[in-house]
Amino acid sequence: MKNQTVEKIKELTKEVRLPGVRRYLTEEITDANLKNLPYEEFLHSLLLKEYDLRLESGKKNRIRLASFPYRKHLEDLSVSDLPIDAQKRLKVLKSLDFIEQGQNVILAGSPGTGKTHLAIGLGIKACLSGYKVLFVTVPLLINQLKESRSQRILSRTEGKFEKYDLVIADELGYISFDKEGSELLFTHLSLRAGRKSTIITTNLSFDRWEEIFGDAVMTAAMIDRLTHKSYLLNMNGGSYRLKETREWLAKQEEEKD
């Protein structure tokens, strides 16, 4: 009879979506009986398991939905190999206060210096801290915006884009875009300015942004809005990626010997 009751409880947990209770019910019942725990302590312990499981599931879901191209945590960074400016600002960025304040972070510098790795590391930390994050390359974002406009769902896309606590717009400047793309990108990034945080990685200095926007007035307005009260990091330096590749090749050679 007791086992039947336990099975009925487990069935009910499926209906009301309590996977933690279902997973740990038998274990908690056994523990409560052995320790002769009061009902309220048993229930509290069981609900804590449900709570912890939901927290963990929430973290995994936020990371999955952020669409990171790969997972790199801040702890994986070789801080000493980052450009000096990034080393100096890393501590304050890791606090994630910039997200709370709705400030932007612009990582500008030559390829391979750790811009995307740093951005993803901050993004994953934000997901683990409960923030809703989106990672997208600028070319892909522009294509999505153009498709939304053609399908007449642009306003819906704008609303969704605004709700992210942090958007990571990667690879600004690697591919130029037309007037429509420039205007759409300007509008969407402007929607977030001063309210929600955006991290932008770019290989171009500000004086070259007109090359990709193709409009001096729009370029000036974009830079003004994105840089207001923002963290601007000079990411020029030795290639972080090249150093990692050399270390990997050296390790492969060691394993052969």
Side-chain angles (χ1 to χ4, degrees), residues 104-139:
N104 296 333
V105 178
I106 300 178
L107 308 173
S110 48
T113 55
K115 297 186 297 297
T116 300
H117 185 158
L118 178 56
I120 290 175
L122 290 169
I124 288 179
K125 185 175 177 63
C127 288
L128 295 175
S129 299
Y131 294 106
K132 188 177 180 182
V133 179
L134 173 68
F135 179 98
V136 64
T137 63
V138 170

mmCIF file of all heavy atoms in Angstrom, residues 104-139:
data_model
loop_
_atom_site.group_PDB
_atom_site.id
_atom_site.type_symbol
_atom_site.label_atom_id
_atom_site.label_comp_id
_atom_site.label_asym_id
_atom_site.label_seq_id
_atom_site.Cartn_x
_atom_site.Cartn_y
_atom_site.Cartn_z
ATOM 1 N N ASN A 104 26.953 49.397 -21.932
ATOM 2 C CA ASN A 104 27.500 48.588 -23.013
ATOM 3 C C ASN A 104 28.981 48.313 -22.782
ATOM 4 O O ASN A 104 29.658 49.020 -22.027
ATOM 5 C CB ASN A 104 27.328 49.295 -24.356
ATOM 6 C CG ASN A 104 25.878 49.468 -24.736
ATOM 7 O OD1 ASN A 104 25.022 48.686 -24.320
ATOM 8 N ND2 ASN A 104 25.582 50.505 -25.513
ATOM 9 N N VAL A 105 29.472 47.290 -23.476
ATOM 10 C CA VAL A 105 30.893 46.968 -23.480
ATOM 11 C C VAL A 105 31.309 46.807 -24.930
ATOM 12 O O VAL A 105 30.694 46.032 -25.674
ATOM 13 C CB VAL A 105 31.193 45.660 -22.711
ATOM 14 C CG1 VAL A 105 32.685 45.341 -22.778
ATOM 15 C CG2 VAL A 105 30.732 45.765 -21.261
ATOM 16 N N ILE A 106 32.304 47.550 -25.352
ATOM 17 C CA ILE A 106 32.791 47.448 -26.726
ATOM 18 C C ILE A 106 34.226 46.943 -26.711
ATOM 19 O O ILE A 106 35.112 47.573 -26.123
ATOM 20 C CB ILE A 106 32.696 48.806 -27.458
ATOM 21 C CG1 ILE A 106 31.228 49.262 -27.490
ATOM 22 C CG2 ILE A 106 33.249 48.687 -28.878
ATOM 23 C CD1 ILE A 106 31.014 50.596 -28.145
ATOM 24 N N LEU A 107 34.427 45.791 -27.320
ATOM 25 C CA LEU A 107 35.741 45.161 -27.391
ATOM 26 C C LEU A 107 36.264 45.348 -28.809
ATOM 27 O O LEU A 107 35.795 44.695 -29.750
ATOM 28 C CB LEU A 107 35.639 43.669 -27.054
ATOM 29 C CG LEU A 107 34.914 43.319 -25.741
ATOM 30 C CD1 LEU A 107 34.739 41.812 -25.612
ATOM 31 C CD2 LEU A 107 35.680 43.867 -24.550
ATOM 32 N N ALA A 108 37.207 46.261 -28.977
ATOM 33 C CA ALA A 108 37.698 46.605 -30.310
ATOM 34 C C ALA A 108 39.180 46.296 -30.431
ATOM 35 O O ALA A 108 39.981 46.698 -29.586
ATOM 36 C CB ALA A 108 37.444 48.084 -30.593
ATOM 37 N N GLY A 109 39.527 45.566 -31.491
ATOM 38 C CA GLY A 109 40.947 45.268 -31.681
ATOM 39 C C GLY A 109 41.171 44.239 -32.762
ATOM 40 O O GLY A 109 40.229 43.758 -33.402
ATOM 41 N N SER A 110 42.400 43.901 -32.963
ATOM 42 C CA SER A 110 42.788 42.986 -34.026
ATOM 43 C C SER A 110 42.253 41.569 -33.773
ATOM 44 O O SER A 110 41.949 41.205 -32.634
ATOM 45 C CB SER A 110 44.318 42.960 -34.159
ATOM 46 O OG SER A 110 44.922 42.794 -32.884
ATOM 47 N N PRO A 111 42.140 40.762 -34.839
ATOM 48 C CA PRO A 111 41.613 39.402 -34.698
ATOM 49 C C PRO A 111 42.482 38.534 -33.795
ATOM 50 O O PRO A 111 43.702 38.708 -33.716
ATOM 51 C CB PRO A 111 41.624 38.871 -36.138
ATOM 52 C CG PRO A 111 41.587 40.090 -36.995
ATOM 53 C CD PRO A 111 42.386 41.118 -36.253
ATOM 54 N N GLY A 112 41.825 37.610 -33.100
ATOM 55 C CA GLY A 112 42.554 36.607 -32.318
ATOM 56 C C GLY A 112 43.016 37.039 -30.948
ATOM 57 O O GLY A 112 43.791 36.335 -30.302
ATOM 58 N N THR A 113 42.560 38.194 -30.452
ATOM 59 C CA THR A 113 43.070 38.697 -29.174
ATOM 60 C C THR A 113 42.180 38.358 -27.977
ATOM 61 O O THR A 113 42.398 38.860 -26.881
ATOM 62 C CB THR A 113 43.277 40.224 -29.237
ATOM 63 O OG1 THR A 113 42.056 40.852 -29.636
ATOM 64 C CG2 THR A 113 44.380 40.568 -30.225
ATOM 65 N N GLY A 114 41.145 37.545 -28.205
ATOM 66 C CA GLY A 114 40.307 37.099 -27.094
ATOM 67 C C GLY A 114 39.000 37.840 -26.949
ATOM 68 O O GLY A 114 38.322 37.682 -25.925
ATOM 69 N N LYS A 115 38.597 38.620 -27.952
ATOM 70 C CA LYS A 115 37.361 39.409 -27.849
ATOM 71 C C LYS A 115 36.131 38.515 -27.675
ATOM 72 O O LYS A 115 35.334 38.716 -26.758
ATOM 73 C CB LYS A 115 37.188 40.294 -29.089
ATOM 74 C CG LYS A 115 38.278 41.336 -29.288
ATOM 75 C CD LYS A 115 37.969 42.259 -30.441
ATOM 76 C CE LYS A 115 37.891 41.574 -31.784
ATOM 77 N NZ LYS A 115 39.180 40.959 -32.201
ATOM 78 N N THR A 116 35.999 37.552 -28.583
ATOM 79 C CA THR A 116 34.810 36.688 -28.541
ATOM 80 C C THR A 116 34.835 35.788 -27.303
ATOM 81 O O THR A 116 33.797 35.579 -26.668
ATOM 82 C CB THR A 116 34.712 35.843 -29.825
ATOM 83 O OG1 THR A 116 34.622 36.719 -30.955
ATOM 84 C CG2 THR A 116 33.484 34.941 -29.796
ATOM 85 N N HIS A 117 36.009 35.267 -26.967
ATOM 86 C CA HIS A 117 36.132 34.422 -25.772
ATOM 87 C C HIS A 117 35.713 35.197 -24.526
ATOM 88 O O HIS A 117 34.937 34.700 -23.698
ATOM 89 C CB HIS A 117 37.571 33.924 -25.636
ATOM 90 C CG HIS A 117 37.771 32.953 -24.512
ATOM 91 N ND1 HIS A 117 38.832 32.069 -24.476
ATOM 92 C CD2 HIS A 117 37.071 32.727 -23.367
ATOM 93 C CE1 HIS A 117 38.759 31.352 -23.362
ATOM 94 N NE2 HIS A 117 37.696 31.740 -22.675
ATOM 95 N N LEU A 118 36.187 36.409 -24.405
ATOM 96 C CA LEU A 118 35.830 37.240 -23.251
ATOM 97 C C LEU A 118 34.332 37.532 -23.238
ATOM 98 O O LEU A 118 33.680 37.450 -22.186
ATOM 99 C CB LEU A 118 36.625 38.547 -23.288
ATOM 100 C CG LEU A 118 36.338 39.568 -22.176
ATOM 101 C CD1 LEU A 118 36.524 38.954 -20.796
ATOM 102 C CD2 LEU A 118 37.250 40.794 -22.335
ATOM 103 N N ALA A 119 33.782 37.841 -24.402
ATOM 104 C CA ALA A 119 32.350 38.143 -24.496
ATOM 105 C C ALA A 119 31.507 36.930 -24.111
ATOM 106 O O ALA A 119 30.527 37.048 -23.361
ATOM 107 C CB ALA A 119 32.003 38.603 -25.913
ATOM 108 N N ILE A 120 31.885 35.749 -24.611
ATOM 109 C CA ILE A 120 31.145 34.532 -24.280
ATOM 110 C C ILE A 120 31.277 34.203 -22.801
ATOM 111 O O ILE A 120 30.293 33.816 -22.144
ATOM 112 C CB ILE A 120 31.637 33.347 -25.141
ATOM 113 C CG1 ILE A 120 31.207 33.551 -26.593
ATOM 114 C CG2 ILE A 120 31.100 32.009 -24.611
ATOM 115 C CD1 ILE A 120 31.744 32.501 -27.549
ATOM 116 N N GLY A 121 32.489 34.380 -22.259
ATOM 117 C CA GLY A 121 32.689 34.132 -20.833
ATOM 118 C C GLY A 121 31.791 35.000 -19.971
ATOM 119 O O GLY A 121 31.182 34.527 -19.004
ATOM 120 N N LEU A 122 31.686 36.266 -20.326
ATOM 121 C CA LEU A 122 30.793 37.179 -19.597
ATOM 122 C C LEU A 122 29.336 36.777 -19.797
ATOM 123 O O LEU A 122 28.522 36.854 -18.876
ATOM 124 C CB LEU A 122 31.011 38.616 -20.063
ATOM 125 C CG LEU A 122 32.341 39.258 -19.663
ATOM 126 C CD1 LEU A 122 32.557 40.580 -20.400
ATOM 127 C CD2 LEU A 122 32.414 39.485 -18.146
ATOM 128 N N GLY A 123 29.014 36.340 -21.014
ATOM 129 C CA GLY A 123 27.653 35.920 -21.308
ATOM 130 C C GLY A 123 27.235 34.694 -20.515
ATOM 131 O O GLY A 123 26.122 34.629 -19.975
ATOM 132 N N ILE A 124 28.128 33.713 -20.413
ATOM 133 C CA ILE A 124 27.819 32.501 -19.647
ATOM 134 C C ILE A 124 27.691 32.827 -18.163
ATOM 135 O O ILE A 124 26.794 32.328 -17.476
ATOM 136 C CB ILE A 124 28.891 31.418 -19.893
ATOM 137 C CG1 ILE A 124 28.739 30.862 -21.313
ATOM 138 C CG2 ILE A 124 28.783 30.293 -18.867
ATOM 139 C CD1 ILE A 124 29.739 29.797 -21.691
ATOM 140 N N LYS A 125 28.572 33.682 -17.670
ATOM 141 C CA LYS A 125 28.470 34.091 -16.267
ATOM 142 C C LYS A 125 27.130 34.792 -16.014
ATOM 143 O O LYS A 125 26.492 34.599 -14.975
ATOM 144 C CB LYS A 125 29.626 35.017 -15.896
ATOM 145 C CG LYS A 125 29.655 35.405 -14.399
ATOM 146 C CD LYS A 125 30.892 36.224 -14.060
ATOM 147 C CE LYS A 125 30.871 36.660 -12.596
ATOM 148 N NZ LYS A 125 30.911 35.512 -11.664
ATOM 149 N N ALA A 126 26.693 35.590 -16.981
ATOM 150 C CA ALA A 126 25.408 36.270 -16.852
ATOM 151 C C ALA A 126 24.257 35.267 -16.817
ATOM 152 O O ALA A 126 23.319 35.398 -16.027
ATOM 153 C CB ALA A 126 25.221 37.260 -18.002
ATOM 154 N N CYS A 127 24.329 34.249 -17.672
ATOM 155 C CA CYS A 127 23.299 33.193 -17.673
ATOM 156 C C CYS A 127 23.245 32.488 -16.324
ATOM 157 O O CYS A 127 22.156 32.234 -15.780
ATOM 158 C CB CYS A 127 23.597 32.164 -18.761
ATOM 159 S SG CYS A 127 23.302 32.731 -20.451
ATOM 160 N N LEU A 128 24.400 32.174 -15.781
ATOM 161 C CA LEU A 128 24.467 31.481 -14.491
ATOM 162 C C LEU A 128 23.957 32.363 -13.355
ATOM 163 O O LEU A 128 23.543 31.850 -12.306
ATOM 164 C CB LEU A 128 25.910 31.044 -14.201
ATOM 165 C CG LEU A 128 26.489 29.994 -15.158
ATOM 166 C CD1 LEU A 128 27.961 29.734 -14.840
ATOM 167 C CD2 LEU A 128 25.702 28.693 -15.086
ATOM 168 N N SER A 129 23.992 33.681 -13.581
ATOM 169 C CA SER A 129 23.535 34.629 -12.557
ATOM 170 C C SER A 129 22.069 35.009 -12.726
ATOM 171 O O SER A 129 21.563 35.872 -12.006
ATOM 172 C CB SER A 129 24.402 35.895 -12.592
ATOM 173 O OG SER A 129 25.755 35.577 -12.324
ATOM 174 N N GLY A 130 21.399 34.376 -13.690
ATOM 175 C CA GLY A 130 19.965 34.594 -13.847
ATOM 176 C C GLY A 130 19.559 35.568 -14.927
ATOM 177 O O GLY A 130 18.365 35.864 -15.083
ATOM 178 N N TYR A 131 20.508 36.066 -15.717
ATOM 179 C CA TYR A 131 20.182 37.021 -16.770
ATOM 180 C C TYR A 131 19.832 36.299 -18.075
ATOM 181 O O TYR A 131 20.360 35.223 -18.368
ATOM 182 C CB TYR A 131 21.356 37.965 -17.027
ATOM 183 C CG TYR A 131 21.675 38.894 -15.879
ATOM 184 C CD1 TYR A 131 22.796 38.692 -15.081
ATOM 185 C CD2 TYR A 131 20.842 39.969 -15.591
ATOM 186 C CE1 TYR A 131 23.090 39.546 -14.022
ATOM 187 C CE2 TYR A 131 21.126 40.829 -14.538
ATOM 188 C CZ TYR A 131 22.250 40.610 -13.757
ATOM 189 O OH TYR A 131 22.528 41.451 -12.711
ATOM 190 N N LYS A 132 18.973 36.932 -18.864
ATOM 191 C CA LYS A 132 18.587 36.395 -20.164
ATOM 192 C C LYS A 132 19.537 36.971 -21.217
ATOM 193 O O LYS A 132 19.634 38.185 -21.372
ATOM 194 C CB LYS A 132 17.142 36.792 -20.483
ATOM 195 C CG LYS A 132 16.579 36.130 -21.727
ATOM 196 C CD LYS A 132 15.121 36.520 -21.922
ATOM 197 C CE LYS A 132 14.559 35.860 -23.176
ATOM 198 N NZ LYS A 132 13.149 36.273 -23.421
ATOM 199 N N VAL A 133 20.226 36.083 -21.930
ATOM 200 C CA VAL A 133 21.322 36.494 -22.815
ATOM 201 C C VAL A 133 21.082 35.979 -24.239
ATOM 202 O O VAL A 133 20.513 34.908 -24.447
ATOM 203 C CB VAL A 133 22.671 35.948 -22.292
ATOM 204 C CG1 VAL A 133 23.813 36.344 -23.219
ATOM 205 C CG2 VAL A 133 22.928 36.444 -20.878
ATOM 206 N N LEU A 134 21.529 36.743 -25.213
ATOM 207 C CA LEU A 134 21.524 36.315 -26.614
ATOM 208 C C LEU A 134 22.892 36.574 -27.218
ATOM 209 O O LEU A 134 23.432 37.676 -27.095
ATOM 210 C CB LEU A 134 20.472 37.083 -27.417
ATOM 211 C CG LEU A 134 20.501 36.836 -28.938
ATOM 212 C CD1 LEU A 134 20.082 35.410 -29.264
ATOM 213 C CD2 LEU A 134 19.617 37.833 -29.681
ATOM 214 N N PHE A 135 23.436 35.559 -27.884
ATOM 215 C CA PHE A 135 24.674 35.724 -28.659
ATOM 216 C C PHE A 135 24.301 35.637 -30.129
ATOM 217 O O PHE A 135 23.620 34.703 -30.560
ATOM 218 C CB PHE A 135 25.683 34.628 -28.324
ATOM 219 C CG PHE A 135 26.967 34.737 -29.111
ATOM 220 C CD1 PHE A 135 28.087 35.332 -28.547
ATOM 221 C CD2 PHE A 135 27.051 34.280 -30.416
ATOM 222 C CE1 PHE A 135 29.269 35.455 -29.271
ATOM 223 C CE2 PHE A 135 28.221 34.398 -31.155
ATOM 224 C CZ PHE A 135 29.332 34.989 -30.576
ATOM 225 N N VAL A 136 24.761 36.599 -30.911
ATOM 226 C CA VAL A 136 24.485 36.585 -32.348
ATOM 227 C C VAL A 136 25.590 37.347 -33.069
ATOM 228 O O VAL A 136 26.078 38.364 -32.572
ATOM 229 C CB VAL A 136 23.096 37.204 -32.643
ATOM 230 C CG1 VAL A 136 23.054 38.686 -32.249
ATOM 231 C CG2 VAL A 136 22.687 37.013 -34.095
ATOM 232 N N THR A 137 25.992 36.849 -34.233
ATOM 233 C CA THR A 137 26.937 37.625 -35.041
ATOM 234 C C THR A 137 26.153 38.738 -35.723
ATOM 235 O O THR A 137 24.957 38.599 -36.020
ATOM 236 C CB THR A 137 27.624 36.756 -36.113
ATOM 237 O OG1 THR A 137 26.639 36.271 -37.027
ATOM 238 C CG2 THR A 137 28.364 35.583 -35.473
ATOM 239 N N VAL A 138 26.833 39.843 -35.978
ATOM 240 C CA VAL A 138 26.158 40.984 -36.608
ATOM 241 C C VAL A 138 25.599 40.620 -37.989
ATOM 242 O O VAL A 138 24.448 40.965 -38.302
ATOM 243 C CB VAL A 138 27.107 42.201 -36.676
ATOM 244 C CG1 VAL A 138 26.497 43.308 -37.534
ATOM 245 C CG2 VAL A 138 27.383 42.724 -35.271
ATOM 246 N N PRO A 139 26.358 39.918 -38.845
ATOM 247 C CA PRO A 139 25.776 39.538 -40.147
ATOM 248 C C PRO A 139 24.509 38.696 -40.010
ATOM 249 O O PRO A 139 23.538 38.906 -40.745
ATOM 250 C CB PRO A 139 26.910 38.732 -40.805
ATOM 251 C CG PRO A 139 28.154 39.269 -40.188
ATOM 252 C CD PRO A 139 27.787 39.537 -38.762
#
